[in-house]
Amino acid sequence: MPDSTALERPNVAMTGPQLARLADLIKTWGRELGFQQVGITDTELSAHEAHLDAWLEKGYQGEMGFMTKHGTKRTRPAELEPGTQRIVSVRMDYLPAEVESTKVLGQPSRAYVSRYALGRDYHKLIRKRLAQLAKKIEQEVGEFGYRAFVDSAPVMERALAQKAGLGWFGKNAMLLNPKAGSLFFLGELYTDLPLPIDEPFVQEHCGSCSACQTACPTGAIVDDKVVDSRKCISYLTIELHDAIPVEYRRAMGNRIYGCDDCQLVCPFTRFTRITQEDDFAPRHDLDRASLISLFAWGEAEFLDKTAGSPIRRIGYERWLRNIAIGLGNAPWSETVEAALWARRGFPSALVREHVAWALEEQRLKRADRIATDAS
Ligand code: SF4
Ligand code: SF4
């Protein structure tokens, strides 16, 4: 892999002071590379392993088979990458300037796309920066073992970040930082360097607040820090391949890719820092587009406009599935009905079923309107 060196070689002995200096340098380089925070932790995750096991036992992962497929590699970093001694955990803010999150949620004819997915895919950018960080370390200490991860392998990224001092687990199960909220990406550099570790972030600031739990449209936050993915709109719109259960469709509103409600209502979100990365700026007006305009994209247009975007992974069929629900939830209008009618014969049975549901929702609203006008 271009961004890794196998963690097999015993690390060249460095003294404690040399390692401490290197840890300071890593944090400075990380910030210079655009990470807002860098922390270092060890590989001990047994408490998190117990939480994960309990969560999986309840089936909260839904269809996300990848959550169980890797056994203990997720919670034991040295099993995933032999030789790993430390994890450098980084975070990068992603909220672009001038996006109107709550305003769009309140306008049911517009589409809401999760704020992290408005621009270019973050995986590539962050992995590249981590590789640059590794290069700088190599220039300082010579060859060393490392591997970079960005939300792409069995890695307990939030647990590692908490242990590295980057924030605490909020009741919405997101990692929260008191000065930056939770709208940031995480990345990790697994390494064989025995660097000094940072203090974990132990003070939890949620207190008596439960705004996220109250705001969740589908009641997916079933306990403090526990999300039942099967009810979560992020899972339903992105991870789930089949039909979206009817019981959640109305609650989805106009959220067509992901959901940020439990973060947007969080009092710490007001400390969100605007990203400095051009790559995260909204593309194709995804922060304000109407449902109808996105529903009109043909497959070639979808593939073209989502090239290099995280949205690409759901594919065209699920894109239409999600937007159909948004249109069913939109206020009644002839234009919405016409857009749905135009997709009624779409080749995919999945899309057709969601379109039929949406048309029925529109019909009910039209009937209501007629009844109100007549009274
Ligand atoms: S992302 Fe949305 S649906 Fe999922 S837990 Fe948060 S508020 Fe609930
Ligand atoms: S909304 Fe309140 S309870 Fe939820 S994560 Fe934020 S501070 Fe914690």
Side-chain angles (χ1 to χ4, degrees):
M1 293 184 60
D3 59 352
S4 71
T5 299
L7 304 182
E8 287 158 0
R9 179 188 59 81
N11 196 53
V12 177
M14 291 176 76
T15 63
Q18 285 173 324
L19 287 164
R21 179 176 167 276
L22 180 59
D24 287 343
L25 283 172
I26 289 172
K27 288 171 191 171
T28 305
W29 293 330
R31 283 191 292 271
E32 287 170 359
L33 286 165
F35 297 116
Q36 276 68 49
Q37 223 180 337
V38 181
I40 299 169
T41 188
D42 59 23
T43 59
E44 161 51 37
L45 288 170
S46 51
H48 294 282
E49 185 172 291
H51 282 126
L52 177 64
D53 287 347
W55 186 80
L56 291 170
E57 243 167 61
K58 294 195 166 111
Y60 289 161
Q61 75 279 19
E63 284 184 7
M64 294 186 286
F66 57 85
M67 291 300 298
T68 48
K69 170 163 125 185
H70 302 282
T72 50
K73 282 185 180 169
R74 187 177 296 276
T75 46
R76 300 179 194 178
E79 287 184 15
L80 181 65
E81 278 303 314
T84 299
Q85 295 203 51
R86 298 290 184 262
I87 291 98
V88 179
S89 172
V90 297
R91 70 168 190 84
M92 183 180 279
D93 299 323
Y94 62 71
L95 188 70
E98 294 170 17
V99 288
E100 300 167 332
S101 307
T102 38
K103 204 167 162 189
V104 174
L105 278 172
Q107 294 181 351
S109 55
R110 284 162 83 182
Y112 187 87
V113 172
S114 186
R115 307 292 83 172
Y116 81 84
L118 297 171
R120 288 192 175 280
D121 198 334
Y122 57 96
H123 296 88
K124 219 167 150 185
L125 182 143
I126 296 182
R127 202 176 290 120
K128 194 168 154 200
R129 300 283 172 87
L130 285 169
Q132 289 171 319
L133 180 59
K135 194 87 199 151
K136 282 178 180 283
I137 300 171
E138 196 171 65
Q139 282 163 358
E140 186 71 19
V141 303
E143 191 188 340
F144 75 108
Y146 70 89
R147 188 166 169 194
F149 295 102
V150 188
D151 189 24
S152 54
V155 170
M156 297 282 278
E157 56 173 11
R158 292 177 206 168
L160 291 166
Q162 182 272 329
K163 271 178 61 83
L166 270 52
W168 80 96
F169 273 92
K171 290 181 187 173
N172 58 4
M174 303 300 293
L175 193 82
L176 263 73
N177 181 284
K179 294 182 182 157
S182 59
L183 300 175
F184 48 75
F185 297 124
L186 294 170
E188 301 78 29
L189 198 67
Y190 280 29
T191 174
D192 64 355
L193 295 167
L195 297 160
I197 60 173
D198 290 303
E199 287 293 317
F201 200 109
V202 285
Q203 200 189 347
E204 302 192 346
H205 295 263
C206 287
S208 59
C209 175
S210 56
C212 51
Q213 290 159 328
T214 310
C216 176
T218 51
I221 308 173
V222 292
D223 202 346
D224 288 358
K225 308 178 193 172
V226 182
V227 172
D228 182 346
S229 301
R230 298 166 301 181
K231 299 180 178 177
C232 174
I233 295 168
S234 279
Y235 166 85
L236 296 170
T237 53
I238 300 170
E239 303 293 345
L240 183 68
H241 287 251
D242 301 326
I244 292 177
V246 173
E247 69 211 89
Y248 303 126
R249 292 185 187 178
R250 285 186 176 174
M252 282 171 54
N254 57 349
R255 299 164 191 81
I256 62 158
Y257 188 95
C259 169
D260 297 324
D261 288 38
C262 56
Q263 297 184 82
L264 296 178
V265 298
C266 177
F268 290 94
T269 296
R270 69 180 186 274
F271 301 121
T272 302
R273 311 264 179 88
I274 298 303
T275 184
Q276 303 302 311
E277 303 295 336
D278 294 342
D279 271 12
F280 301 155
R283 303 164 80 202
H284 311 299
D285 286 337
L286 281 172
D287 59 328
R288 60 198 66 217
S290 70
L291 289 160
I292 285 183
S293 67
L294 299 181
F295 202 54
W297 287 2
E299 186 162 13
E301 192 174 4
F302 169 82
L303 292 174
D304 179 47
K305 289 189 166 160
T306 59
S309 149
I311 296 173
R312 182 77 171 270
R313 62 180 287 224
I314 66 169
Y316 185 54
E317 190 184 23
R318 287 190 277 157
W319 173 251
L320 291 181
R321 173 197 70 177
N322 296 350
I323 303 173
I325 292 183
L327 287 169
N329 291 328
W332 172 77
S333 86
E334 281 176 3
T335 332
V336 169
E337 279 198 313
L340 287 164
W341 271 99
R343 295 279 187 206
R344 227 168 64 103
F346 192 78
S348 150
L350 180 75
V351 173
R352 284 200 306 275
E353 186 271 312
H354 287 73
V355 166
W357 175 86
L359 277 167
E360 176 60 12
E361 292 293 291
Q362 284 288 313
R363 188 191 68 74
L364 291 170
K365 281 182 256 202
R366 177 160 38 93
D368 271 356
R369 166 82 71 91
I370 292 165
T372 309
D373 288 350
S375 62

